[in-house]
């Protein structure tokens, strides 16, 4: 969920990210972890783990005999991941590391998952080549990224419009780039990296969000692109942008259920 300069959170934002992003990520995390066919005792890496959504889901499936690791370059998010991992699961070890330089021996993991991180890697092929190195022969890989057409979803479209209006082209363009990783790009990079049977498909969930008056501004405030508004234009501009987002969403929707579309890519080492 966060691994490279395109997705960096600081101050107390990662804790809010853990809270507000969870409702959107939950069904996609389940689909991601299910895609690698985990079993009790498996060793799993959550690549670009963010605050640990996928790591926790994987730990629940591999059980006490399993081993789960999470790697991310953003240390504030790792601190939240460490604080939130349940002690009933096998120990989850979180490590600060970029995706293209992982601190693990060759063939360390039976499966690697990457939830909403691959689109932010500066060099996708280099990151996946390093991922292939730490994956055991016949091990499984799965990644989700927002599908390009997800940007037209009413919820994300409203965020994009508000970022352009209140933050200018910089934040808006950075936000749009998070939706630019295509299925073809992912599968091509996986094959170049040494994976086999690389496939990808889109899937959509209709997700019912908490009441928008509280959720929409809270979620918006913990995104890196809205943090750019805070850093360059101050807290009043960020508050105005968050209110504008809430107004747009509530004016054009009589529901809190929105479609969210991701691409799921899978491959075998």
């Amino acid at each position: 969920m966060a691994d490279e300069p395109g997705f960096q959170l600081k101050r107390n934002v990662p804790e809010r990210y853990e809270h507000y992003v969870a409702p959107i990520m939950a069904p996609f995390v389940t689909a991601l972890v299910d895609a690698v066919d985990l079993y009790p005792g498996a060793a799993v890496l959550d690549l670009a783990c963010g605050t640990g959504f996928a790591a926790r889901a994987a730990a629940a499936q591999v059980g006490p005999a399993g081993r789960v690791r999470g790697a991310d370059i953003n240390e504030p998010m790792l601190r939240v991941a460490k604080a939130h991992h349940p002690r009933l699961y096998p120990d989850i070890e979180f490590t600060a590391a970029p995706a293209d330089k992982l601190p693990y021996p060759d063939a360390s993991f039976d499966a690697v998952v990457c939830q909403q991180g691959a689109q932010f890697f500066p060099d996708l092929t280099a990151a996946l080549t390093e991922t292939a190195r730490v994956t055991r022969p016949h091990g499984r890989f799965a990644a989700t990224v927002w599908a390009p057409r997800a940007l037209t979803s009413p919820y994300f479209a409203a965020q994009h419009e508000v970022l352009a209006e209140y933050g200018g082209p910089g934040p808006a363009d950075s936000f749009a780039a998070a939706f630019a990783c295509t299925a073809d790009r992912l599968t091509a990079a996986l094959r170049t990296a040494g994976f086999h049977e690389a496939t990808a498909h889109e899937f959509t969930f209709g997700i019912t969000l908490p009441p928008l008056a509280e959720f929409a501004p809270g979620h918006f405030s913990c995104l890196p692109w809205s943090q750019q508004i805070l850093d360059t234009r101050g807290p009043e501009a960020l508050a105005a942008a968050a209110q504008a987002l809430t107004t747009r969403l509530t004016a054009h929707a009589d529901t809190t259920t929105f479609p969210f579309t991701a691409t799921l890519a899978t491959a075998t080492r």
Side-chain angles (χ1 to χ4, degrees):
M1 276 176 288
D3 189 74
E4 299 297 342
F7 201 104
Q8 291 289 310
L9 299 178
K10 51 190 177 181
R11 294 184 286 269
N12 66 334
V13 177
E15 185 65 48
R16 299 205 311 275
Y17 178 92
E18 165 73 20
H19 173 72
Y20 284 105
V21 173
I24 296 174
M25 293 298 187
F28 294 101
V29 169
T30 299
L32 174 75
V33 174
D34 286 348
V36 292
D37 299 322
L38 294 182
Y39 52 86
V44 186
L45 171 63
D46 181 5
L47 182 67
C49 64
T51 59
F53 293 130
R56 295 194 294 270
Q61 291 199 19
V62 301
R67 178 168 56 91
V68 179
R69 300 291 181 261
D72 198 292
I73 203 169
N74 191 308
E75 295 198 43
M77 295 189 83
L78 289 175
R79 286 196 291 270
V80 174
K82 292 173 183 177
H84 281 269
H85 105 258
R87 305 304 170 189
L88 294 176
Y89 294 164
D91 187 43
I92 306 174
E93 182 180 297
F94 293 101
T95 302
D100 59 357
K101 193 174 182 180
L102 297 170
Y104 309 112
D106 294 355
S108 294
F109 300 100
D110 300 299
V112 178
V113 295
C114 183
Q115 166 72 6
Q116 296 297 342
Q119 64 265 53
F120 301 110
F121 297 153
D123 187 332
L124 178 60
T125 299
L128 293 178
T129 299
E130 178 71 346
T131 302
R133 179 187 67 79
V134 303
T135 306
R136 292 173 181 163
H138 309 294
R140 294 284 291 161
F141 173 84
T144 55
V145 297
W146 293 125
R149 69 186 182 94
L151 188 58
T152 64
S153 167
Y155 189 84
F156 284 142
Q159 286 187 336
H160 191 214
E161 293 166 2
V162 168
L163 284 167
E165 181 176 345
Y166 288 85
D173 290 347
S174 295
F175 180 75
F179 299 80
C181 190
T182 65
D184 287 346
R185 182 184 171 211
L186 271 173
T187 53
L190 283 165
R191 295 185 188 107
T192 301
F195 284 96
H196 307 284
E197 302 171 2
T199 62
H201 68 275
E202 290 186 2
F203 61 119
T204 300
F205 288 110
I207 299 175
T208 301
L209 301 175
L212 294 174
E214 189 275 335
F215 179 83
H219 178 234
F220 183 76
S221 72
C222 67
L223 300 177
W225 308 281
S226 59
Q227 292 301 299
Q228 293 177 36
I229 299 176
L230 176 64
D231 292 340
T232 59
R233 304 194 178 188
E236 292 185 358
L238 177 59
Q243 181 56 53
L245 173 65
T246 305
T247 299
R248 289 181 191 223
L249 288 172
T250 55
H252 296 289
D254 56 2
T255 178
T256 61
T257 301
F258 296 90
F260 293 87
T261 301
T263 298
L264 172 65
T266 60
T268 302
R269 180 71 175 99

